[in-house]
Amino acid sequence: MLKRNVPSAGLITGLLATWLATAFLWAGVNHWTPLSPPEANVTGIVVLPESPNIVLAATTGGLYRSTDYGDHWQPLVVEGGKDYISALALDPSNPARILTIIGEGLWQSTDRGDSWTCQTDISLRLARSLAIHPVDSQIMFTTGAEG
């Protein structure tokens, strides 16, 4: 099990993966250990680069945060948000900024997930992923079943 004393966030990000068949979160290199939040299928993960012990997980049961490399999870409250979180992304130019798609809206946190505000009510209900441009963080990409 490789969850402690990891030298860089890049390595941790490389170690975390979503097991697509069951949508559980696993960590490891040669030996994989389940780390999923309770009773939830993981739809996205973010590891904070300056604090690699902090992991946020978007799930079918809400948004969760771990401060101990995934050993324990606490639910995050997103005011007005729904349970199903379909995507999660970290702003590469500002690691305190995290975006998530909840229901039909794009939500933003500028304090590492402590508080959230709705940025748009554009229909994103079938979005499956979210990415932020590495140079211009005002440009975002999403995939889904609707155009």
Side-chain angles (χ1 to χ4, degrees):
M1 185 183 320
L2 183 60
K3 295 190 300 183
R4 303 239 187 322
N5 301 320
V6 178
S8 74
L11 180 56
I12 279 225
T13 302
L15 297 176
L16 293 174
T18 301
W19 184 269
L20 297 177
T22 58
F24 292 118
L25 183 64
W26 295 76
V29 176
N30 295 320
H31 173 74
W32 292 87
T33 304
L35 299 177
S36 289
E39 300 179 27
N41 292 327
V42 177
T43 57
I45 57 171
V46 163
V47 177
L48 298 186
E50 76 283 358
S51 303
N53 58 303
I54 299 177
V55 182
L56 277 75
T59 76
T60 55
L63 193 58
Y64 288 85
R65 177 175 32 209
S66 172
T67 58
D68 57 6
Y69 299 94
D71 283 338
H72 301 91
W73 296 91
Q74 301 83 35
L76 294 177
V77 176
V78 181
E79 193 172 317
K82 297 180 175 85
D83 285 339
Y84 187 91
I85 314 292
S86 61
L88 188 64
L90 180 70
D91 184 339
S93 64
N94 177 6
R97 182 174 176 243
I98 303 166
L99 295 168
T100 187
I101 297 174
I102 303 173
E104 295 191 9
L106 178 68
W107 289 74
Q108 173 181 261
S109 172
T110 56
D111 55 11
R112 296 172 180 81
D114 289 333
S115 62
W116 297 86
T117 56
C118 187
Q119 300 300 299
T120 179
D121 59 359
I122 295 172
S123 179
L124 298 169
R125 65 185 170 88
L126 297 178
R128 296 292 178 255
S129 65
L130 179 64
I132 301 171
H133 193 279
V135 177
D136 184 351
S137 63
Q138 298 305 307
I139 299 172
M140 290 168 256
F141 304 91
T142 186
T143 62
E146 280 185 350

